[in-house]
Amino acid sequence: MTQTPTVRPELADVPTGAFIAGQWRALPRTFTVDTPHDGSALAQVADCGPQEAVDAIEAALVAFDTWKLDNFKRAEILSRWADLIDEHAPQMARVMALEMGKPVTEAHGEIGGGNGYIRFYVDAARQIAGERVPSRFAHKRGLTRSEPLGVVYAVTPWNFPMSMIARKAAPALAAGCTVILKPAEQSPLTALLLAELWRQAGGPAGTLQVLAASDPASFSKPFFDDIRVRKIAFTGSTDVGRLLYAQAATTLKRVSLELGGHAPTIVFADADIELAVRESIVSKFRNAGQTCISSNRFYVHESIAEQFADAFALAASKLKVGDPLDPATEIGPLVDDQGHAKVSAHVADAVERGAAFQTGGQTLTGRYFAPTVLSGVQPGTLMLREETFGPVAPIVSFSSDEEAVRLANDSEYGLAAYVFTRDLSRAFRVTEALEYGIIGVNDGGPVGAAAQAPFGGFKNSGVGREGGHWGLDEYLQVKYVSFGV
Ligand code: NAD
């Protein structure tokens, strides 16, 4: 049975239709978005299917013909979009807190960081240029043009409902592509609000379209079948990424995949322990551990393992768990019952295999889980292999640098890693040996507000990069033109 949600003030003007060809379209089919705080219904959102997908593709193709022509116009509209997002940040942060449980203070940070990407690509849009290519013949001149790929289908996860969109839509739109975005089922409201702000910023019809769907596989099929959709930009789990990679092969679409992670943190004997604890609280507990670059396993030198575990557990136990709408909250609920069940199962498995609680371990009410630190975690424990996606930190001790690097690299993933040491030579040696796309040395937030930096992973953590010029290149193709003169 469909629940009828009571409209909350921050949601009153958030659209719930499908944003197709510059218009809000109501659909007879809807699905419920709830809040992880207490499971109550927030909104009924238009549930798009293959027909809406086809309509969006047609509108995106029409829009592309004009949108690709004027870099400066694109920069102007993106800039207005960024201004409107800043203006609506307090509302957007509350929408995000409501729909996926991120503490509202953190949500503000995400919006600021995401908007940093939009502003970065405002500048980049104005600078898209070509190169002069030398010729061995005196009568020839070679030039390149960087041209947009065309229609992009972007699929985003729930854990960063704003910034995952900004990192794709901003470079794609700056490059001159048109974008059809499908947000995650758990967090479509932030995306729909972004679409409305794009409309208000003067974004032409069909340039950015946002369609939510409760059945992502059937909704997505037309995009993969249509050769005129030239790019898939995906952030989400490795399993789904692999599936989309295979589907994109038939029409040889360009693909960017930002997938799962399993970040190791290595704390060497010479580390500044206070700093390692402070930074690791950020890398582990931000978004209640539901972050692809979240530290999932801690390797600590045996000589300081106890000292680190005590200090880290004390800091974790002080984190304020509670209602995500409360500005003082540091840990909100887990996004859904499935996520909560996975975290509980990982903790039960670790304890069964001999790990001891330093702090936490309790399931609180509903989808809340207490910040948890475990020591003496044994090899073979699930959380040392799989993404936990929760506020749980397992500590394992090591005795040599080689062992630490071997343990850290022993993963199918290669997204982020963290290293704490005061020895510069060791920092160089270890960062060169780690098979990870992003490394923080004495830094638990290496990509915080870093739109200019490349974000992406090695191995099963993905294909391609977001951010910086790397992120723009993902949406451009090079044309070479030779002139006989
Ligand atoms: P998910 O893979 O379940 O879903 C991601 C998106 O894919 C959602 O929009 C979903 O509707 C869609 N989807 C699912 N099945 C699909 C299908 N068959 N066809 C088309 N679309 C489909 O992931 P999630 O649970 O939303 O997000 C968590 C995962 O995302 C974690 O693994 C996390 O590490 C990863 N993540 C990675 C990054 C990164 O930058 N590398 C960033 C954030 C999250």
Side-chain angles (χ1 to χ4, degrees), residues 279-300:
E279 294 293 312
S280 296
I281 288 288
V282 177
S283 74
K284 175 67 257 181
F285 293 106
R286 192 164 63 109
N287 208 14
Q290 303 168 111
T291 304
C292 53
I293 59 168
S294 177
S295 186
N296 217 75
R297 43 206 171 110
F298 289 79
Y299 299 111
V300 185

PDB file of all heavy atoms in Angstrom, residues 279-300:
ATOM      1  N   GLU A 279      42.683  12.390  12.074  1.00  0.00           N
ATOM      2  CA  GLU A 279      42.408  12.258  10.641  1.00  0.00           C
ATOM      3  C   GLU A 279      41.620  10.976  10.346  1.00  0.00           C
ATOM      4  O   GLU A 279      40.808  10.935   9.424  1.00  0.00           O
ATOM      5  CB  GLU A 279      43.717  12.276   9.841  1.00  0.00           C
ATOM      6  CG  GLU A 279      44.451  13.613   9.904  1.00  0.00           C
ATOM      7  CD  GLU A 279      43.690  14.742   9.212  1.00  0.00           C
ATOM      8  OE1 GLU A 279      43.238  14.554   8.077  1.00  0.00           O
ATOM      9  OE2 GLU A 279      43.528  15.816   9.840  1.00  0.00           O
ATOM     10  N   SER A 280      41.905   9.929  11.117  1.00  0.00           N
ATOM     11  CA  SER A 280      41.205   8.653  10.873  1.00  0.00           C
ATOM     12  C   SER A 280      39.748   8.715  11.312  1.00  0.00           C
ATOM     13  O   SER A 280      38.903   7.999  10.768  1.00  0.00           O
ATOM     14  CB  SER A 280      41.915   7.500  11.590  1.00  0.00           C
ATOM     15  OG  SER A 280      43.204   7.342  11.049  1.00  0.00           O
ATOM     16  N   ILE A 281      39.452   9.569  12.275  1.00  0.00           N
ATOM     17  CA  ILE A 281      38.039   9.762  12.649  1.00  0.00           C
ATOM     18  C   ILE A 281      37.289  10.301  11.427  1.00  0.00           C
ATOM     19  O   ILE A 281      36.187   9.867  11.103  1.00  0.00           O
ATOM     20  CB  ILE A 281      37.912  10.727  13.870  1.00  0.00           C
ATOM     21  CG1 ILE A 281      38.379  10.036  15.147  1.00  0.00           C
ATOM     22  CG2 ILE A 281      36.490  11.278  14.011  1.00  0.00           C
ATOM     23  CD1 ILE A 281      37.458   8.951  15.700  1.00  0.00           C
ATOM     24  N   VAL A 282      37.933  11.195  10.676  1.00  0.00           N
ATOM     25  CA  VAL A 282      37.310  11.741   9.460  1.00  0.00           C
ATOM     26  C   VAL A 282      37.204  10.650   8.402  1.00  0.00           C
ATOM     27  O   VAL A 282      36.141  10.406   7.839  1.00  0.00           O
ATOM     28  CB  VAL A 282      38.141  12.933   8.908  1.00  0.00           C
ATOM     29  CG1 VAL A 282      37.533  13.450   7.607  1.00  0.00           C
ATOM     30  CG2 VAL A 282      38.263  14.036   9.940  1.00  0.00           C
ATOM     31  N   SER A 283      38.333   9.970   8.121  1.00  0.00           N
ATOM     32  CA  SER A 283      38.324   9.015   7.005  1.00  0.00           C
ATOM     33  C   SER A 283      37.422   7.818   7.292  1.00  0.00           C
ATOM     34  O   SER A 283      36.904   7.199   6.384  1.00  0.00           O
ATOM     35  CB  SER A 283      39.742   8.547   6.682  1.00  0.00           C
ATOM     36  OG  SER A 283      40.199   7.645   7.662  1.00  0.00           O
ATOM     37  N   LYS A 284      37.244   7.489   8.551  1.00  0.00           N
ATOM     38  CA  LYS A 284      36.413   6.335   8.896  1.00  0.00           C
ATOM     39  C   LYS A 284      34.946   6.696   9.103  1.00  0.00           C
ATOM     40  O   LYS A 284      34.070   6.008   8.606  1.00  0.00           O
ATOM     41  CB  LYS A 284      36.960   5.664  10.165  1.00  0.00           C
ATOM     42  CG  LYS A 284      36.127   4.518  10.714  1.00  0.00           C
ATOM     43  CD  LYS A 284      36.087   3.306   9.820  1.00  0.00           C
ATOM     44  CE  LYS A 284      34.830   3.124   9.037  1.00  0.00           C
ATOM     45  NZ  LYS A 284      34.810   1.922   8.196  1.00  0.00           N
ATOM     46  N   PHE A 285      34.685   7.748   9.854  1.00  0.00           N
ATOM     47  CA  PHE A 285      33.309   7.949  10.335  1.00  0.00           C
ATOM     48  C   PHE A 285      32.490   8.981   9.560  1.00  0.00           C
ATOM     49  O   PHE A 285      31.304   9.146   9.831  1.00  0.00           O
ATOM     50  CB  PHE A 285      33.321   8.283  11.825  1.00  0.00           C
ATOM     51  CG  PHE A 285      33.794   7.116  12.654  1.00  0.00           C
ATOM     52  CD1 PHE A 285      35.054   7.109  13.230  1.00  0.00           C
ATOM     53  CD2 PHE A 285      32.982   5.996  12.817  1.00  0.00           C
ATOM     54  CE1 PHE A 285      35.505   6.016  13.973  1.00  0.00           C
ATOM     55  CE2 PHE A 285      33.416   4.898  13.556  1.00  0.00           C
ATOM     56  CZ  PHE A 285      34.681   4.908  14.131  1.00  0.00           C
ATOM     57  N   ARG A 286      33.116   9.667   8.590  1.00  0.00           N
ATOM     58  CA  ARG A 286      32.334  10.603   7.776  1.00  0.00           C
ATOM     59  C   ARG A 286      31.200   9.812   7.099  1.00  0.00           C
ATOM     60  O   ARG A 286      31.408   8.684   6.639  1.00  0.00           O
ATOM     61  CB  ARG A 286      33.250  11.208   6.706  1.00  0.00           C
ATOM     62  CG  ARG A 286      32.665  12.382   5.974  1.00  0.00           C
ATOM     63  CD  ARG A 286      33.774  13.113   5.252  1.00  0.00           C
ATOM     64  NE  ARG A 286      34.389  12.260   4.248  1.00  0.00           N
ATOM     65  CZ  ARG A 286      34.236  12.428   2.937  1.00  0.00           C
ATOM     66  NH1 ARG A 286      33.491  13.398   2.475  1.00  0.00           N
ATOM     67  NH2 ARG A 286      34.849  11.634   2.086  1.00  0.00           N
ATOM     68  N   ASN A 287      30.029  10.397   7.075  1.00  0.00           N
ATOM     69  CA  ASN A 287      28.857   9.743   6.457  1.00  0.00           C
ATOM     70  C   ASN A 287      28.618   8.361   7.071  1.00  0.00           C
ATOM     71  O   ASN A 287      28.218   7.423   6.383  1.00  0.00           O
ATOM     72  CB  ASN A 287      29.062   9.635   4.944  1.00  0.00           C
ATOM     73  CG  ASN A 287      27.745   9.620   4.180  1.00  0.00           C
ATOM     74  OD1 ASN A 287      26.685   9.946   4.731  1.00  0.00           O
ATOM     75  ND2 ASN A 287      27.802   9.232   2.928  1.00  0.00           N
ATOM     76  N   ALA A 288      28.885   8.231   8.360  1.00  0.00           N
ATOM     77  CA  ALA A 288      28.716   6.962   9.100  1.00  0.00           C
ATOM     78  C   ALA A 288      29.451   5.808   8.410  1.00  0.00           C
ATOM     79  O   ALA A 288      29.009   4.659   8.459  1.00  0.00           O
ATOM     80  CB  ALA A 288      27.235   6.641   9.280  1.00  0.00           C
ATOM     81  N   GLY A 289      30.571   6.138   7.767  1.00  0.00           N
ATOM     82  CA  GLY A 289      31.374   5.093   7.108  1.00  0.00           C
ATOM     83  C   GLY A 289      30.823   4.662   5.757  1.00  0.00           C
ATOM     84  O   GLY A 289      31.353   3.738   5.141  1.00  0.00           O
ATOM     85  N   GLN A 290      29.797   5.345   5.278  1.00  0.00           N
ATOM     86  CA  GLN A 290      29.181   4.970   3.994  1.00  0.00           C
ATOM     87  C   GLN A 290      29.796   5.786   2.861  1.00  0.00           C
ATOM     88  O   GLN A 290      29.127   6.538   2.162  1.00  0.00           O
ATOM     89  CB  GLN A 290      27.672   5.201   4.050  1.00  0.00           C
ATOM     90  CG  GLN A 290      26.981   4.448   5.179  1.00  0.00           C
ATOM     91  CD  GLN A 290      25.562   4.906   5.379  1.00  0.00           C
ATOM     92  OE1 GLN A 290      24.632   4.180   5.102  1.00  0.00           O
ATOM     93  NE2 GLN A 290      25.369   6.118   5.847  1.00  0.00           N
ATOM     94  N   THR A 291      31.089   5.629   2.720  1.00  0.00           N
ATOM     95  CA  THR A 291      31.847   6.403   1.748  1.00  0.00           C
ATOM     96  C   THR A 291      32.773   5.456   1.004  1.00  0.00           C
ATOM     97  O   THR A 291      33.375   4.577   1.630  1.00  0.00           O
ATOM     98  CB  THR A 291      32.684   7.464   2.510  1.00  0.00           C
ATOM     99  OG1 THR A 291      31.807   8.251   3.295  1.00  0.00           O
ATOM    100  CG2 THR A 291      33.463   8.359   1.612  1.00  0.00           C
ATOM    101  N   CYS A 292      32.892   5.640  -0.309  1.00  0.00           N
ATOM    102  CA  CYS A 292      33.738   4.710  -1.089  1.00  0.00           C
ATOM    103  C   CYS A 292      35.200   4.809  -0.669  1.00  0.00           C
ATOM    104  O   CYS A 292      35.944   3.847  -0.801  1.00  0.00           O
ATOM    105  CB  CYS A 292      33.579   4.984  -2.570  1.00  0.00           C
ATOM    106  SG  CYS A 292      33.854   6.700  -2.974  1.00  0.00           S
ATOM    107  N   ILE A 293      35.630   5.976  -0.179  1.00  0.00           N
ATOM    108  CA  ILE A 293      37.030   6.111   0.250  1.00  0.00           C
ATOM    109  C   ILE A 293      37.166   5.960   1.764  1.00  0.00           C
ATOM    110  O   ILE A 293      38.221   6.258   2.336  1.00  0.00           O
ATOM    111  CB  ILE A 293      37.660   7.448  -0.226  1.00  0.00           C
ATOM    112  CG1 ILE A 293      36.889   8.649   0.314  1.00  0.00           C
ATOM    113  CG2 ILE A 293      37.740   7.502  -1.746  1.00  0.00           C
ATOM    114  CD1 ILE A 293      37.631   9.973   0.110  1.00  0.00           C
ATOM    115  N   SER A 294      36.117   5.487   2.410  1.00  0.00           N
ATOM    116  CA  SER A 294      36.150   5.290   3.860  1.00  0.00           C
ATOM    117  C   SER A 294      37.213   4.253   4.222  1.00  0.00           C
ATOM    118  O   SER A 294      37.307   3.205   3.586  1.00  0.00           O
ATOM    119  CB  SER A 294      34.776   4.786   4.289  1.00  0.00           C
ATOM    120  OG  SER A 294      34.780   4.506   5.657  1.00  0.00           O
ATOM    121  N   SER A 295      37.986   4.540   5.249  1.00  0.00           N
ATOM    122  CA  SER A 295      38.978   3.572   5.688  1.00  0.00           C
ATOM    123  C   SER A 295      38.254   2.341   6.222  1.00  0.00           C
ATOM    124  O   SER A 295      37.433   2.435   7.123  1.00  0.00           O
ATOM    125  CB  SER A 295      39.842   4.195   6.781  1.00  0.00           C
ATOM    126  OG  SER A 295      40.855   3.286   7.080  1.00  0.00           O
ATOM    127  N   ASN A 296      38.534   1.186   5.632  1.00  0.00           N
ATOM    128  CA  ASN A 296      37.800  -0.016   6.036  1.00  0.00           C
ATOM    129  C   ASN A 296      38.633  -0.945   6.899  1.00  0.00           C
ATOM    130  O   ASN A 296      38.130  -1.899   7.481  1.00  0.00           O
ATOM    131  CB  ASN A 296      37.299  -0.762   4.804  1.00  0.00           C
ATOM    132  CG  ASN A 296      35.936  -1.383   5.030  1.00  0.00           C
ATOM    133  OD1 ASN A 296      34.933  -0.676   5.043  1.00  0.00           O
ATOM    134  ND2 ASN A 296      35.890  -2.680   5.259  1.00  0.00           N
ATOM    135  N   ARG A 297      39.960  -0.713   6.938  1.00  0.00           N
ATOM    136  CA  ARG A 297      40.819  -1.588   7.765  1.00  0.00           C
ATOM    137  C   ARG A 297      42.053  -0.797   8.187  1.00  0.00           C
ATOM    138  O   ARG A 297      42.615  -0.039   7.402  1.00  0.00           O
ATOM    139  CB  ARG A 297      41.211  -2.864   7.005  1.00  0.00           C
ATOM    140  CG  ARG A 297      41.594  -2.590   5.600  1.00  0.00           C
ATOM    141  CD  ARG A 297      41.396  -3.753   4.650  1.00  0.00           C
ATOM    142  NE  ARG A 297      41.618  -3.220   3.322  1.00  0.00           N
ATOM    143  CZ  ARG A 297      42.651  -3.487   2.542  1.00  0.00           C
ATOM    144  NH1 ARG A 297      43.570  -4.356   2.923  1.00  0.00           N
ATOM    145  NH2 ARG A 297      42.774  -2.903   1.365  1.00  0.00           N
ATOM    146  N   PHE A 298      42.435  -0.979   9.438  1.00  0.00           N
ATOM    147  CA  PHE A 298      43.553  -0.236  10.028  1.00  0.00           C
ATOM    148  C   PHE A 298      44.690  -1.196  10.333  1.00  0.00           C
ATOM    149  O   PHE A 298      44.511  -2.131  11.121  1.00  0.00           O
ATOM    150  CB  PHE A 298      43.106   0.470  11.310  1.00  0.00           C
ATOM    151  CG  PHE A 298      42.196   1.624  11.030  1.00  0.00           C
ATOM    152  CD1 PHE A 298      40.846   1.424  10.739  1.00  0.00           C
ATOM    153  CD2 PHE A 298      42.675   2.928  11.033  1.00  0.00           C
ATOM    154  CE1 PHE A 298      40.006   2.489  10.450  1.00  0.00           C
ATOM    155  CE2 PHE A 298      41.838   3.996  10.746  1.00  0.00           C
ATOM    156  CZ  PHE A 298      40.502   3.774  10.451  1.00  0.00           C
ATOM    157  N   TYR A 299      45.849  -0.976   9.704  1.00  0.00           N
ATOM    158  CA  TYR A 299      47.046  -1.747   9.999  1.00  0.00           C
ATOM    159  C   TYR A 299      47.951  -0.844  10.832  1.00  0.00           C
ATOM    160  O   TYR A 299      48.372   0.222  10.356  1.00  0.00           O
ATOM    161  CB  TYR A 299      47.730  -2.190   8.702  1.00  0.00           C
ATOM    162  CG  TYR A 299      46.817  -3.071   7.862  1.00  0.00           C
ATOM    163  CD1 TYR A 299      46.299  -2.622   6.647  1.00  0.00           C
ATOM    164  CD2 TYR A 299      46.437  -4.337   8.314  1.00  0.00           C
ATOM    165  CE1 TYR A 299      45.438  -3.419   5.901  1.00  0.00           C
ATOM    166  CE2 TYR A 299      45.573  -5.140   7.575  1.00  0.00           C
ATOM    167  CZ  TYR A 299      45.083  -4.674   6.369  1.00  0.00           C
ATOM    168  OH  TYR A 299      44.222  -5.469   5.634  1.00  0.00           O
ATOM    169  N   VAL A 300      48.206  -1.250  12.075  1.00  0.00           N
ATOM    170  CA  VAL A 300      48.941  -0.390  13.007  1.00  0.00           C
ATOM    171  C   VAL A 300      50.169  -1.146  13.496  1.00  0.00           C
ATOM    172  O   VAL A 300      50.071  -2.340  13.851  1.00  0.00           O
ATOM    173  CB  VAL A 300      48.033   0.019  14.198  1.00  0.00           C
ATOM    174  CG1 VAL A 300      48.755   1.005  15.099  1.00  0.00           C
ATOM    175  CG2 VAL A 300      46.722   0.611  13.700  1.00  0.00           C
TER     176      VAL A 300
END
